[in-house]
Amino acid sequence: LVEIAAGASIRAGSITRSMLRAELHSFGLLGAAPDFARAQSQVKLLESELRARTRRSVPIPGTNNTFTVERSVLHKELRERVAAASAGSVILVRGESDVGKSALALAVADELRADGGVAIMASLRDLPDAAINLKSAFGMDPDSLLASVASAPVSVLVLDGAEVVQERGSEALGALLQAAVRAAMISILVVRDDAVESVTALVQSRGIQPLFEFSVGPLSAAEIATLVEAVPSLTKLMSD
């Protein structure tokens, strides 16, 4: 802290909470600021809503059980991509509808948390399009929100449904991305393939870099075979 203060005095500049968070993010897990309590319940609700509509398993007819296709290779690759990304980076998790993009992003974020990282997760479909309305949605403006949340060497902001940029525009996404950059967080955007160009243009218009793409393809033949073996009623559907 003394070194940070000394550096600021040399530059004759002031230090914001986002700047301080960015400077300290490599020191280990730091707790949330007291005022994060204003947003905590809404942040939890937004994550809960995202999880509720993200299908991560298939029900097995005639039983109370479900089956999950383990996409361990993709999971490992995305986790490594996040680990290698620098603070302020943006990762686009792209693919066609219903290939498991959201489930994969959530699974990686959960693993990061379990390993001592920090993750904020929400769907842009649950947030207002206008940046000015984010304060009422969260209880805090984007900069204050991400500057007050707990901090760790690996901190991610996961935003699902980024294709809203193409469908109706979203000033909110730009504001959240810039706040994440200032707070040294990595942004993971989940987006359909057809909207990648629109999202990329928005990110670049805000001067945010680097930008990485991570593609999630459909199930492989081996994964389909494993799924059909566990849920035989899907045999005809898969053959079609």
Side-chain angles (χ1 to χ4, degrees):
L1 288 173
V2 172
E3 291 177 359
I4 294 171
S9 64
I10 291 172
R11 298 190 303 268
S14 59
I15 298 178
T16 65
R17 284 206 302 179
S18 294
M19 293 168 60
L20 185 60
R21 186 190 192 285
E23 292 279 359
L24 296 176
H25 85 278
S26 62
F27 280 73
L29 182 63
L30 302 175
D35 58 338
F36 179 69
R38 299 206 310 267
Q40 190 166 19
S41 62
Q42 188 63 11
V43 168
K44 286 183 177 180
L45 177 61
L46 288 165
E47 180 178 327
S48 176
E49 290 294 321
L50 172 58
R51 289 184 183 278
R53 63 170 170 266
T54 300
R55 188 169 59 182
R56 305 174 85 167
S57 59
V58 178
I60 301 176
T63 74
N64 293 322
N65 300 322
T66 60
F67 179 77
T68 302
V69 178
E70 296 296 337
R71 310 197 75 181
S72 55
V73 173
L74 278 174
H75 182 107
K76 180 175 181 291
E77 290 175 350
L78 180 56
R79 175 64 194 270
E80 290 174 348
R81 175 70 273 174
V82 173
S86 57
S89 299
V90 175
I91 301 173
L92 298 185
V93 177
R94 61 176 294 180
E96 296 298 330
S97 297
D98 299 323
V99 295
K101 305 182 299 295
S102 302
L104 180 64
L106 290 179
V108 168
D110 286 340
E111 185 173 271
L112 288 170
R113 276 182 178 168
D115 290 344
V118 171
I120 296 291
M121 302 178 238
S123 172
L124 286 165
R125 296 189 181 281
D126 294 326
L127 295 174
D129 296 328
I132 196 170
N133 293 329
L134 285 172
K135 185 172 183 178
S136 60
F138 283 112
M140 306 174 77
D141 64 82
D143 277 309
S144 297
L145 172 71
L146 299 185
S148 64
V149 72
S151 174
V154 180
S155 298
V156 298
L157 172 66
V158 180
L159 295 173
D160 192 60
E163 55 273 1
V164 298
V165 171
Q166 180 192 61
E167 297 168 0
R168 59 177 187 260
S170 176
E171 294 177 358
L173 175 56
L176 286 165
L177 290 176
Q178 289 185 308
V181 170
R182 286 189 280 267
M185 297 183 77
I186 298 166
S187 296
I188 300 175
L189 307 182
V190 181
V191 58
R192 287 195 319 262
D193 276 342
D194 62 286
V196 167
E197 186 175 340
S198 297
V199 175
T200 298
L202 184 147
V203 173
Q204 293 176 340
S205 72
R206 299 298 178 117
I208 299 171
Q209 57 181 343
L211 171 66
F212 304 101
E213 291 187 12
F214 185 90
S215 296
V216 179
L219 295 178
S220 67
E223 290 168 335
I224 291 174
T226 301
L227 178 59
V228 169
E229 182 181 357
V231 190
S233 60
L234 293 175
T235 301
K236 187 177 185 305
L237 177 64
M238 291 302 183
S239 64
D240 292 341

